[in-house]
Amino acid sequence: MNMAEEILRVENLHVKVEDTPILHGLSLTVNRGEKHVIMGRNGAGKSTLASVIMGHPAYEITEGEVFFMGRPLDELDVFERARAGIFLSFQYPAVIPGVQVGTFLKKSVQSVRQEAVKARAFRQELNAAMDTLDMQKSVLSRYVNDGFSGGEKKRLEILQMLLLKPNLALLDETDSGLDIDALRIVAKGINQIAPDAGCLIITHYQRLLDHVKPDFVHVMIDGQLVMSGGPELALKLEEQGYDWLDATEVEA
Amino acid sequence: MSYADLAVPSRALHLWRYTPWARIHPSTVDDVPSADPVRWEVGDGGVLAEATPRAQGSPDIARTFLAESNPSVWALRCSPDAPTVHVRAVASGHVAVGHLHIVAEGDATVVVHLSGEADWAGLHITAEVSDNVRFAYGLVNELSVNSKLLRCEDWTVGRDADVQHASLSMGGFRCKNDLRTRFTAPGSRLTQAVSVHGRGERHVDHHLEIHHDVGRTDSSLTVHSACDDRSHAIATGLLTIAEQANHCDAGQVFKNLLLSEKARAEAIPELEVLADEVAAAHGAASAPLDPNQMHYLMSRGLDAQESAALIVEGFMHDGFSSLTNSDLLEALRTRLTVHLECELKR
């Protein structure tokens, strides 16, 4: 039997923003090839977890630690995390006016791979990824996320993920704002990288999980993972919401 | 009226508030030093010929000074269906002055590349855009980092003409730009865009006048200034719409990106609207680097310096986003990218 390769280990993580505590002792392990889903109400701390792993400077770890492929993450700056293989698909990707998508993608791929990318090989790779996501080539000359619809932004995030081939993919509500066809296409992109990466998918909806089969579903309430299970847990949350978990917590 | 007859202009005027005449004059204000001519080289599709000096309109100290320093004028004509005409203006020596008159009688794209090591460069560009002509023009300032520049431009735009006018300012130590456009007939349009890269102690002053003397004329002006180190960028706009010039549509937007605590930028749009049925708008904004943009780019593997450079490059390109002439845009994009890559390697 193969030993699972640990990609992410979060140990007793406490995080605050300014003076407001958000995460209260969260622990989680993600191995290569596993798809973990985190669900929870708005404000539970799901996006905070993704931002902390990516290294957003607004968040302060007050206790606990995060390890990426066995290495403490606090040693690494944001760009070093990206180069090490962490990718965050942003819930609200930044608009970069004046920077063409094609230029940005090439610079990003070169930075992460730390090598010059040959134009022809990159073009072939890019075309293949764009075909997977059913994207128009005209997007390459547009400015990054400038005037993009919600769906276009999410597709561009997934396109970046396919090109950067991360070891850890953090997907922060990548399914929100997508129509049915776009959801299916985005799911295709996630499934393409999933076998070779650890995936942490933050979502509010079961519908993404019709296309991306999770190995684990976790429920976050008030900055803690209060319950974990298989795909059936997501179905139960879709039917019953989160109130029954509050009752469980009280009973516990 | 000669230069000696003109009074030194008051700093109460917007035009002279931030870069007074004494600060841009090559020596002392009473002096008209002998000047070497700017050397002009024209690429395929353009023809230069010596022309007669042009009569001055209203007395203006900068234009009068340039005319007395070097009265010679070169006229540029573009061949019909020519590709982009590149004109090289090289300023060498202590003081160098040149006057280029652009004969815009047919559709054309002209890019003037200003370079050289002159201590002081003076440039006067004039153009009369004929009726129904679509004319695109760009000036790329790549002067030595130690040069001073005085640049004056005077454009008139004829009936149903379309003018795209771009300035990319990257060179020179202290630069004073006084760019004026006047609509002389209805149905015409001006799209003017300026991008400035300030670094070191660079001081770049753009004064941009657009005069709607007749109705049914449109203009849009966009100025983007990215200021680093102790640089100082100034943009003053003067938009006038005459009393009978109804149905004009005019807008001015000034944006500043401040990259260091000691960088400064002023953006002062000014409107004088005397007609009733017009649309006229202006806006100005200054901001430091957006931390969300920085985080986004760094999360894609770019380090802080690379991320900031890409944001600056994008900001400066975005200053030209109102232009639609692809040849002009390509020329500006290429020069800007080369400049910023060199800056990043310093």
Side-chain angles (χ1 to χ4, degrees):
Chain A
M1 186 174 152
N2 290 333
M3 283 285 288
E5 183 189 354
E6 179 190 288
I7 298 292
L8 176 73
R9 187 168 82 250
V10 181
E11 288 183 353
N12 187 33
L13 188 66
H14 291 68
V15 171
K16 68 176 184 179
V17 178
E18 294 175 349
D19 290 328
T20 307
I22 307 286
L23 300 182
H24 307 277
L26 187 146
S27 297
L28 175 71
T29 299
V30 177
N31 294 319
R32 191 179 295 279
E34 291 179 354
K35 286 171 281 194
H36 290 245
V37 168
I38 298 184
M39 303 179 81
R41 294 190 185 100
N42 292 327
K46 307 183 296 295
S47 294
T48 296
L49 175 62
S51 295
V52 167
I53 296 169
M54 196 69 244
H56 195 292
Y59 298 91
E60 183 187 346
I61 295 176
T62 54
E63 194 179 336
E65 211 160 358
V66 183
F67 296 90
F68 173 68
M69 299 179 77
R71 186 176 177 186
L73 264 185
D74 58 5
E75 293 176 357
L76 302 178
D77 204 338
V78 178
F79 72 94
E80 293 170 321
R81 297 179 195 211
R83 291 177 186 179
I86 299 178
F87 177 86
L88 170 60
S89 168
F90 284 80
Q91 187 177 355
Y92 304 110
V95 175
I96 317 286
V99 177
Q100 291 183 316
V101 168
T103 304
F104 163 64
L105 291 175
K106 193 170 179 189
K107 280 185 186 286
S108 176
V109 166
Q110 287 187 155
S111 296
V112 167
R113 295 183 191 168
Q114 285 293 283
E115 61 182 25
V117 178
K118 288 187 178 162
R120 190 170 174 189
F122 176 69
R123 179 66 63 183
Q124 287 174 344
E125 191 180 347
L126 181 58
N127 286 343
M130 292 184 83
D131 289 345
T132 299
L133 299 175
D134 202 14
M135 291 176 77
Q136 303 274 340
K137 301 295 182 290
S138 59
V139 78
L140 297 173
S141 59
R142 293 173 66 188
Y143 295 157
V144 176
N145 293 317
D146 196 2
F148 281 33
S149 68
E152 286 175 323
K153 286 180 183 174
K154 297 303 171 75
R155 279 193 208 208
L156 180 56
E157 293 293 285
I158 298 301
L159 176 64
Q160 293 171 58
M161 183 178 74
L162 292 183
L163 292 171
L164 297 177
K165 300 181 175 66
N167 289 306
L168 174 64
L170 309 165
L171 298 131
D172 189 2
E173 297 195 28
T174 299
D175 53 336
S176 62
L178 297 182
D179 63 36
I180 298 163
D181 290 334
L183 183 72
R184 193 177 296 123
I185 289 166
V186 163
K188 193 172 157 189
I190 297 171
N191 286 327
Q192 187 168 316
I193 66 113
D196 299 318
C199 288
L200 189 58
I201 301 166
I202 294 165
T203 183
H204 281 293
Y205 307 108
Q206 150 66 29
R207 61 179 196 153
L208 175 66
L209 308 184
D210 291 338
H211 305 285
V212 177
K213 299 295 178 201
D215 299 295
F216 302 93
V217 174
H218 311 277
V219 184
M220 185 184 285
I221 292 180
D222 292 337
Q224 291 180 308
L225 297 183
V226 298
M227 182 170 283
S228 298
E232 71 286 349
L233 180 54
L235 288 168
K236 188 171 180 180
L237 292 169
E238 182 88 351
E239 287 172 10
Q240 300 183 20
Y242 296 99
D243 289 348
W244 63 277
L245 282 162
D246 293 334
T248 308
E249 270 195 300
V250 170
E251 282 169 23
Chain B
M1 192 176 275
S2 71
Y3 176 74
D5 298 327
L6 293 168
V8 173
S10 162
R11 291 185 68 173
L13 301 168
H14 261 161
L15 173 58
W16 299 109
R17 183 170 300 167
Y18 297 96
T19 315
W21 179 240
R23 286 193 74 203
I24 198 63
H25 190 285
S27 53
T28 55
V29 292
D30 295 332
D31 186 32
V32 180
S34 62
D36 294 321
V38 165
R39 194 173 78 247
W40 302 99
E41 297 166 9
V42 64
D44 292 345
V47 177
L48 276 178
E50 209 157 354
T52 52
R54 298 169 56 75
Q56 291 291 314
S58 58
D60 172 89
I61 196 163
R63 288 160 176 79
T64 305
F65 178 84
L66 292 175
E68 290 189 17
S69 300
N70 178 7
S72 70
V73 180
W74 290 89
L76 172 70
R77 288 177 189 275
C78 301
S79 309
D81 306 321
T84 303
V85 176
H86 292 274
V87 178
R88 199 156 298 282
V90 182
S92 306
H94 176 50
V95 174
V97 173
H99 183 167
L100 180 71
H101 178 67
I102 299 172
V103 182
E105 292 175 340
D107 296 359
T109 302
V110 172
V111 180
V112 176
H113 303 263
L114 174 61
S115 62
E117 308 283 334
D119 296 328
W120 194 93
L123 199 62
H124 191 189
I125 290 181
T126 50
E128 287 168 13
V129 182
S130 300
D131 297 350
N132 300 305
V133 165
R134 300 171 67 82
F135 201 84
Y137 161 85
L139 185 132
V140 181
N141 172 0
E142 296 176 285
L143 278 171
S144 155
V145 291
N146 298 315
S147 299
K148 277 188 187 177
L149 169 67
L150 171 64
R151 168 188 169 210
C152 297
E153 292 196 11
D154 295 283
W155 289 68
T156 56
V157 184
R159 178 183 288 270
D160 296 325
D162 184 295
V163 177
Q164 303 204 6
H165 185 296
S167 301
L168 175 56
S169 178
M170 306 176 299
F173 167 67
R174 182 175 300 150
C175 304
K176 172 89 180 173
N177 301 270
D178 176 1
L179 315 180
R180 304 180 186 186
T181 305
R182 192 169 290 278
F183 290 100
T184 58
S188 47
R189 171 167 189 81
L190 167 70
T191 307
Q192 187 163 12
V194 178
S195 270
V196 176
H197 188 214
R199 77 253 195 240
E201 304 261 345
R202 202 164 178 243
H203 172 103
V204 185
D205 186 340
H206 278 88
H207 177 75
L208 302 135
E209 295 188 9
I210 300 172
H211 300 286
H212 293 257
D213 293 346
V214 291
R216 299 189 189 282
T217 50
D218 297 342
S219 68
S220 86
L221 169 64
T222 308
V223 182
H224 281 203
S225 301
C227 298
D228 204 349
D229 305 323
R230 298 169 66 92
S231 64
H232 187 191
I234 304 111
T236 55
L238 174 59
L239 172 69
T240 67
I241 301 179
E243 193 171 352
Q244 301 304 320
N246 286 313
H247 307 294
C248 289
D249 189 342
Q252 303 192 338
V253 176
F254 298 74
K255 289 185 182 175
N256 300 315
L257 180 61
L258 298 171
L259 301 163
S260 80
E261 287 186 3
K262 297 201 168 166
R264 289 184 295 153
E266 335 297 328
I268 304 160
E270 186 181 4
L271 275 62
E272 289 177 11
V273 180
L274 302 177
D276 293 327
E277 293 184 41
V278 297
H282 64 87
S286 295
L289 280 172
D290 180 343
N292 286 325
Q293 290 180 337
M294 285 292 289
H295 180 65
Y296 187 72
L297 294 176
M298 291 176 74
S299 77
R300 298 307 186 242
L302 283 73
D303 65 26
Q305 192 184 13
E306 291 166 336
S307 298
L310 192 57
I311 291 169
V312 170
E313 185 177 345
F315 176 79
M316 292 187 67
H317 279 310
D318 195 40
F320 297 127
S321 59
S322 57
L323 304 173
T324 55
N325 182 295
S326 55
D327 293 336
L328 177 60
L329 282 168
E330 185 59 32
L332 297 169
R333 183 179 291 279
T334 301
R335 295 317 307 158
L336 178 57
T337 301
V338 169
H339 163 76
L340 291 175
E341 281 181 0
C342 292
E343 284 294 302
L344 196 60
K345 285 174 186 163
R346 282 189 180 190

